[in-house]
């Protein structure tokens, strides 16, 4: 099984010709509310990819919370460890303009209440093959999760997003770090992915840097770096491409597939997701990824 300790957010998306400047009012084209949050996105990606997934986190005691939970349940994610806490669910207020550019305000809401592990969480983590972590929960929770996983020999996979400096004790409890190229540059000060990967290997044993349409770079201590190209597709919405990649990668690794093969399969899943609109809605099923990877 795969455990995810992470965020749930309702994405509130306004589509506008041009984003408003400070003090300006513009008329938009459309509005959508879609379940998101990096934690929930990775959980759904892994479940669609065929994984058995447990989500640890919190939603608020509001209508969004009900919908966020049911989106996970619909994807067959176990939500027994997803708490409902007082107050508002996490929300992401997203403006998308006609050029596809976006600006985002995230209000953590219920996610901020997840400051550590609760009764039963450690057992759920211990029963998993890997624990997926991101940085949309308080660092104290991320660290507690990583340490619990470590204590039980569970592989920790950290997506360092949103980018921020990582405490040494979190890096010390991370097995596989999966930044995109911007996050890798923010962490290391190095814009060259190969150099950034080398630098990150001083902190963690394995790194995958995702490079958008250019694919992914894998580096591990004591072996040659490996570049996995992305399938060439027509991208129409790259929202949650990285989360789809991580969810699928965790499933493939959990089945004992070797890293190069797991990376190719994750790339196929992510390439399928960028051809469809949305975050969780765009994530492929295992059968779809198998078919695309074989073609
Ligand atoms: P994030 O979504 O976190 O910013 P990336 O943009 O690096 O991360 O994308 C993650 C992965 O999704 C890439 O490594 C690649 O496999 C896939 N991907 C992203 N954009 C494309 C694209 N235009 N074509 C094909 N695959 C893509």
């Amino acid at each position: 099984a795969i455990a995810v300790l992470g965020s749930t957010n309702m994405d509130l998306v306004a589509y506008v010709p041009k984003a408003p400047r400070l003090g300006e009012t513009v008329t938009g084209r459309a509005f959508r509310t879609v379940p998101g949050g990096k934690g929930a996105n990775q959980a759904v990606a892994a479940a669609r990819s065929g994984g058995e997934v447990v989500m640890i986190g919190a939603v608020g005691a509001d209508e969004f919370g009900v919908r966020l939970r049911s989106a996970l349940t619909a994807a067959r994610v176990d939500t027994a460890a997803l708490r409902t806490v007082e107050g508002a669910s996490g929300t992401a207020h997203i403006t998308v303009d006609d050029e596809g550019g976006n600006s985002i305000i995230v209000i953590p809401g219920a996610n901020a209440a997840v400051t550590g592990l609760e009764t039963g969480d450690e057992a759920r983590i211990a029963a998993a093959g890997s624990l997926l972590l991101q940085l949309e929960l308080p660092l104290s929770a991320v660290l507690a999760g990583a340490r619990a996983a470590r204590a039980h020999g569970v592989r920790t996979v950290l997506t360092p997003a949103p980018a921020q400096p990582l405490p040494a004790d979190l890096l010390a409890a991370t097995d596989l770090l999966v930044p995109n190229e911007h996050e890798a540059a923010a962490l290391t000060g190095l814009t060259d992915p190969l150099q950034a990967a080398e630098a990150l290997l001083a902190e963690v044993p394995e790194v995958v840097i995702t490079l958008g349409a250019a694919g992914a770079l894998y580096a591990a201590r004591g072996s040659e770096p490996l570049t996995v190209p992305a399938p060439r597709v027509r991208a129409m919405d790259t929202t949650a491409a990285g989360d789809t990649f991580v969810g699928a990668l965790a499933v493939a690794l959990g089945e004992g597939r070797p890293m190069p093969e797991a990376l190719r399969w994750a790339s196929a899943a992510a390439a399928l997701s960028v051809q469809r609109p949305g975050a969780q809605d765009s994530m492929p099923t295992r059968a779809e990824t198998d078919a695309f990877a074989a073609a």
Side-chain angles (χ1 to χ4, degrees):
I2 292 165
V4 180
L5 174 62
S7 59
T8 56
N9 287 324
M10 189 61 82
D11 291 350
L12 313 176
V13 193
Y15 295 90
V16 294
K18 204 171 163 299
R21 282 165 303 153
L22 197 63
E24 188 186 17
T25 299
V26 300
T27 300
R29 300 189 188 285
F31 175 66
R32 295 211 304 158
T33 59
V34 285
K38 289 197 148 288
N41 287 349
Q42 293 188 358
V44 170
R48 290 261 180 90
S49 293
E52 202 182 296
V53 184
V54 174
M55 176 80 196
I56 305 170
V59 297
D62 55 7
E63 284 175 38
F64 289 159
V66 174
R67 257 185 76 196
L68 289 168
R69 182 183 298 279
S70 68
L72 288 164
T73 312
R76 294 187 312 107
V77 173
D78 180 345
T79 62
L82 184 68
R83 263 74 72 175
T84 299
V85 300
E86 248 176 70
S89 292
T91 47
H93 304 251
I94 306 174
T95 306
V96 181
D97 69 21
D98 278 356
E99 253 90 80
N102 62 39
S103 53
I104 306 179
I105 300 168
V106 174
I107 301 179
N111 297 300
V114 185
T115 53
L117 300 181
E118 305 223 338
T119 312
D121 289 349
E122 182 158 350
R124 288 183 178 94
I125 291 169
S130 58
L131 174 66
L132 307 188
L133 301 157
Q134 318 78 31
L135 300 175
E136 288 186 340
L137 294 182
L139 270 178
S140 58
V142 179
L143 185 58
R147 283 185 168 153
R150 255 302 156 80
H152 294 282
V154 175
R155 182 200 288 259
T156 54
V157 181
L158 175 62
T159 302
Q164 57 186 274
L166 297 178
D169 42 6
L170 178 56
L171 283 167
T174 299
D175 294 313
L176 173 60
L177 188 69
V178 191
N180 65 19
E181 52 192 319
H182 310 291
E183 290 145 10
L187 286 172
T188 61
L190 300 166
T191 49
D192 176 54
L194 256 177
Q195 287 181 1
E198 282 297 321
L200 290 168
L201 285 185
E203 319 281 350
V204 297
E206 291 184 289
V207 179
V208 175
I209 302 181
T210 63
L211 306 168
L217 173 69
Y218 169 71
R221 288 180 188 158
S223 69
E224 282 294 301
L226 171 77
T227 304
V228 178
R232 289 189 58 162
V233 298
R234 187 185 298 260
M236 60 108 39
D237 181 352
T238 60
T239 310
D243 294 330
T244 303
F245 184 96
V246 169
L249 181 65
V251 170
L253 292 175
E255 291 167 358
R257 297 200 233 173
M259 185 59 89
E261 187 188 326
L263 289 168
R264 277 193 293 275
W265 199 72
S267 303
L272 282 171
S273 79
V274 304
Q275 296 174 73
R276 307 170 184 169
Q280 294 175 12
D281 289 343
S282 72
M283 291 165 179
T285 63
R286 182 187 189 88
E288 288 171 330
T289 302
D290 280 342
F292 185 68

